[in-house]
């Protein structure tokens, strides 16, 4: 069953940036809502409200929506028109396919002076004799009824016959109320019987049956333990029983009433829960993946399905794993062994057999901050461990072989004898020739003429030097 919550309104107010206090249009159709509440407090500025195809049984908590212009309550369980006097701006009201039998309740709409359109088709009152004439005469502000325009001549005729039509409508309402009371009693009795049957099933024996002899139950249970049917057969029988019950429910004839709609909804919820239970049983726990065989042989596994590259150098083996960029490093666990490396990524194993033996203690794992890749560097060892007896054999690398080759060549090299008298060494002292040091000449200072100089001429126009 659905309820009107703040979260539900916000999810349906995306066009208004999820702001509900200034919301002008709201659509809450097909939400299995049973009661109309909270909207008049949270959304005071609403102009359009869609509530069709729900299970609302009463019009309530909308009187404070002063700006409401259009209210759609089609396909609900409403039996009476009420509590709409406060909707001062209401211009259109849709109550199609409800259970309104009290046609006289439309008199409450006289206060809605702006009401122009009204839809009552599909209601029990729409099948009353003189239904249209009664509505037209009761609500003079209406312009359209059930999608058909009201003409002035039709209104005049309805007003003239109103005194005759009203008693007939009252009698039809009484008959409808008596029928509804009987249907409600039958629905309540049926609902109580169903509850009792469910209680019996829940309080039944271990195998769903009632027992009077305790010894019989124990013996039957012991025999059942020894001769237990497979789970698949039980699953198939339960599935057949559920399908038979479902077919019986949908093929059973019933009246279209608010109680039948609620019963249909409960049945659909029950079927949905049964399907969820069956799907949970179908989900089998996957057996753990074999990473190492019984013989102790490691297997190559890539359950996370990530790309990787392996580089085999002379000194070390480098494994580059393309781990997801935004994955938290705490979800990654690295385990380096002498012959293989295992990386657990979110619980999924990645295992790779190495081409050479490595040193686990000297290995290192680093993660790139830009790409998120995981780089594991594993240095090689010079000894390999064979299976069975622990026999250590030295492994010669290419560098060791090259050194041995150079040593053997140096042993067989013939040295040339050179006469030391003919050997001359260069004179280091004469390599760089020293230049003679010449002292720098100081620039002669410029002689400034003084007043005592005979060639000095004092010009009064020239200002004195400072």
């Amino acid at each position: 069953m659905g309820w009107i919550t703040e979260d539900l309104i916000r999810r349906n107010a995306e066009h208004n940036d999820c702001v509900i206090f200034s919301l002008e249009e709201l659509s809450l159709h097909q939400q299995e809502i049973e009661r109309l509440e909270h909207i008049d407090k949270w959304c005071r500025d609403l102009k359009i409200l869609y509530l069709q195809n729900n299970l609302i049984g009463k019009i309530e908590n909308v009187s404070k929506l002063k700006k409401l212009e259009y209210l759609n309550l089609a396909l609900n369980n409403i039996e009476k028109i009420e509590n709409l006097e406060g909707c001062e701006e209401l211009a259109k009201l849709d109550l199609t396919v409800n259970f309104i039998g009290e046609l006289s309740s439309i008199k409450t709409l006289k206060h809605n002076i702006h009401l122009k359109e009204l839809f009552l088709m599909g209601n029990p009152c729409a099948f009353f004799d003189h239904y249209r004439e009664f509505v037209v005469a009761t609500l003079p502000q209406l312009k359209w009824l059930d999608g058909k325009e009201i003409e002035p001549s039709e209104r005049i005729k309805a007003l003239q016959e109103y005194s005759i039509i009203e008693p007939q409508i009252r009698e039809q309402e009484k008959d409808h109320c008596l029928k509804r009371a009987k249907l409600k009693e039958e629905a309540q009795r049926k609902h109580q019987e169903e509850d009792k049957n469910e209680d019996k099933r829940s309080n039944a024996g271990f195998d769903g049956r009632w027992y009077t002899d305790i010894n019989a139950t124990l013996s039957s249970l012991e025999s059942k333990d020894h001769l237990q049917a497979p789970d698949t057969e039980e699953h198939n029988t339960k599935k057949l029983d559920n399908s038979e019950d479902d077919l019986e429910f949908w093929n059973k004839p019933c009246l279209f009433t608010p109680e039948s709609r609620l019963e249909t909804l409960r049945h659909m919820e029950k079927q949905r829960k049964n399907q969820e239970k069956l799907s949970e049983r179908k989900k089998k726990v996957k057996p753990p993946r074999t990473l190492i065989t019984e013989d102790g042989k490691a297997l190559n596994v890539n359950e996370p399905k990530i790309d990787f590259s392996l580089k085999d150098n002379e000194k070390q083996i480098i494994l580059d794993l393309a781990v997801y960029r935004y994955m938290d490093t705490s979800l990654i666990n690295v385990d380096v062994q002498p012959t293989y490396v295992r990386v657990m990524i979110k619980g999924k194993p990645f295992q790779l057999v190495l081409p050479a033996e490595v040193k686990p203690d000297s290995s290192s794992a680093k993660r790139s901050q830009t790409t998120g890749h995981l780089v594991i560097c594993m240095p090689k060892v010079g000894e390999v461990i064979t299976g069975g007896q622990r026999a250590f054999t030295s492994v010669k690398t290419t560098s060791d072989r090259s050194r041995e080759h150079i040593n053997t060549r140096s042993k067989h090299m013939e040295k040339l004898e050179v006469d030391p008298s003919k050997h001359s060494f260069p004179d280091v002292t004469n390599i760089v020739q020293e230049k003679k040091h010449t002292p720098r000449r100081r620039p002669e200072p410029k002689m400034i003429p003084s007043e005592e100089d005979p060639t000095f001429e004092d010009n009064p126009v020239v200002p004195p030097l400072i």
Side-chain angles (χ1 to χ4, degrees):
M1 301 297 178
W3 303 96
I4 297 176
T5 60
E6 185 177 350
D7 182 56
L8 177 64
I9 296 175
R10 287 192 187 280
R11 280 190 278 111
N12 289 275
E14 294 180 354
H15 58 283
N16 198 41
D17 297 330
C18 296
V19 179
I20 63 174
F21 71 90
S22 61
L23 200 62
E24 293 185 356
E25 183 176 347
L26 180 61
S27 179
L28 296 175
H29 61 283
Q30 296 180 351
Q31 298 290 338
E32 299 179 359
I33 298 170
E34 288 190 11
R35 188 179 177 187
L36 194 55
E37 56 185 354
H38 302 308
I39 295 178
D40 59 336
K41 298 177 183 177
W42 297 340
C43 310
R44 293 279 183 99
D45 295 335
L46 273 181
K47 293 183 179 180
I48 300 173
L49 180 57
Y50 296 99
L51 290 165
Q52 67 269 25
N53 202 358
N54 283 295
L55 300 169
I56 300 169
K58 185 179 180 181
I59 303 174
E60 57 184 345
N61 298 321
V62 291
S63 58
K64 294 181 181 180
L65 301 176
K66 304 296 181 182
K67 300 179 182 180
L68 189 64
E69 298 176 1
Y70 176 34
L71 178 60
N72 192 333
L73 286 166
L75 293 166
N76 278 283
N77 295 346
I78 297 168
E79 299 186 31
K80 185 179 179 182
I81 302 173
E82 57 186 342
N83 300 323
L84 290 172
E85 296 86 352
C87 302
E88 299 172 357
E89 298 294 329
L90 188 63
K92 185 178 179 180
L93 178 61
D94 192 349
L95 294 168
T96 305
V97 191
N98 275 275
F99 300 94
I100 299 172
E102 296 183 28
L103 188 58
S104 59
S105 62
I106 63 170
K107 293 181 179 180
T108 58
L109 298 175
K110 287 183 178 181
H111 303 284
N112 304 99
I113 57 176
H114 298 286
L115 185 63
K116 305 298 179 186
E117 294 184 59
L118 179 63
F119 291 88
L120 290 172
M121 62 179 71
N123 287 277
C125 64
F127 299 98
F128 290 176
D129 295 335
H130 308 290
Y131 143 75
R132 186 175 177 86
E133 291 85 351
F134 180 79
V135 177
V136 171
T138 306
L139 303 174
Q141 73 272 28
L142 272 186
K143 301 294 181 183
W144 295 79
L145 178 60
D146 295 336
K148 186 178 179 182
E149 188 177 2
I150 301 171
E151 298 179 357
S153 59
E154 184 181 5
R155 191 181 300 279
I156 293 169
K157 186 178 179 181
L159 288 170
Q160 290 174 352
E161 298 177 355
Y162 182 75
S163 59
I164 302 170
I165 294 170
E166 187 179 9
Q168 297 177 5
I169 296 293
R170 295 285 186 185
E171 291 178 3
Q172 295 178 61
E173 281 182 356
K174 288 180 181 178
D175 295 339
H176 173 76
C177 290
L178 291 173
K179 290 180 182 178
R180 282 291 301 134
K182 291 180 181 179
L183 291 173
K184 285 180 181 179
E185 289 179 0
E186 291 178 2
Q188 288 179 357
R189 186 173 65 253
K190 186 179 179 181
H191 186 60
Q192 289 176 358
E193 290 177 358
E194 289 179 355
D195 291 341
K196 287 181 181 178
N197 293 330
E198 288 181 359
D199 293 338
K200 286 180 181 179
R201 289 175 184 174
S202 61
N203 296 326
F206 292 101
D207 58 350
R209 291 176 292 177
W210 286 92
Y211 294 97
T212 54
D213 190 3
I214 298 173
N215 296 323
T217 58
L218 294 172
S219 61
S220 63
L221 287 171
E222 288 176 358
S223 62
K224 188 176 179 182
D225 291 336
H226 291 290
L227 301 171
Q228 195 172 18
D231 294 336
T232 55
E233 292 181 2
E234 292 180 2
H235 173 71
N236 292 330
T237 53
K238 286 180 180 179
K239 192 173 182 181
L240 288 171
D241 293 339
N242 291 330
S243 61
E244 288 177 1
D245 293 340
D246 192 32
L247 287 172
E248 183 181 356
F249 177 82
W250 292 113
N251 292 329
K252 182 176 64 176
C254 66
L255 297 172
F256 183 65
T257 59
E259 292 78 20
S260 65
R261 288 194 71 198
L262 291 170
E263 185 181 0
T264 304
L265 182 64
R266 291 192 191 98
H267 178 76
M268 291 173 67
E269 284 185 352
K270 186 178 178 182
Q271 292 294 323
R272 195 184 306 152
K273 289 179 181 178
N274 292 334
Q275 289 293 332
E276 289 176 357
K277 289 180 181 178
L278 291 174
S279 62
E280 288 177 359
R281 290 176 183 175
K282 284 180 181 178
K283 289 180 181 177
K284 295 180 180 179
V285 180
K286 291 184 179 180
R289 186 181 288 273
T290 55
L291 301 175
I292 299 175
T293 60
E294 296 178 356
D295 301 335
K297 183 181 178 182
L299 302 176
N300 292 329
V301 179
N302 188 3
E303 192 171 330
K305 297 180 181 179
I306 59 174
D307 298 331
F308 67 95
S309 63
L310 187 68
K311 295 179 182 179
D312 188 2
N313 298 331
E314 294 181 358
K315 295 182 179 180
Q316 62 180 356
I317 299 173
I318 301 173
L319 176 62
D320 188 354
L321 286 172
V323 181
Y324 311 116
R325 182 177 181 182
Y326 297 105
M327 181 182 287
D328 191 0
T329 310
S330 61
L331 300 174
I332 304 171
N333 188 14
V334 182
D335 182 17
V336 179
Q337 297 294 331
T339 57
Y340 67 90
V341 59
R342 184 186 300 166
V343 182
M344 300 296 292
I345 302 171
K346 290 183 70 174
K348 296 181 179 180
F350 172 89
Q351 184 169 289
L352 186 65
V353 180
L354 301 175
E357 190 177 354
V358 298
K359 299 178 181 178
D361 296 337
S362 303
S363 302
S364 63
K366 297 180 181 179
R367 195 173 178 197
S368 174
Q369 294 183 353
T370 55
T371 61
H373 284 213
L374 180 67
V375 180
I376 305 172
C377 300
M378 297 164 282
K380 293 182 179 180
V381 297
E383 296 178 348
V384 63
I385 302 173
T386 58
Q389 294 180 354
R390 294 187 177 180
F392 296 92
T393 59
S394 61
V395 178
K396 293 182 180 180
T397 60
T398 55
S399 61
D400 296 338
R401 289 174 183 172
S402 61
R403 288 174 185 173
E404 290 179 0
H405 184 65
I406 291 167
N407 293 332
T408 53
R409 284 185 63 188
S410 62
K411 288 178 182 179
H412 296 287
M413 285 177 64
E414 294 180 357
K415 295 183 180 179
L416 296 176
E417 294 182 0
V418 181
D419 188 6
S421 62
K422 296 180 180 180
H423 183 71
S424 62
F425 293 94
D427 189 5
V428 182
T429 58
N430 298 327
I431 290 176
V432 180
Q433 295 181 357
E434 294 183 357
K435 294 181 180 180
K436 293 181 179 180
H437 180 69
T438 56
R440 292 182 180 181
R441 294 181 179 179
R442 294 182 180 178
E444 296 179 357
K446 294 180 180 181
M447 299 298 291
I448 300 172
S450 61
E451 294 180 357
E452 298 177 356
D453 192 5
T455 60
F456 176 74
E457 293 183 0
D458 188 9
N459 193 350
V461 180
V462 179
L465 297 174
I466 299 172

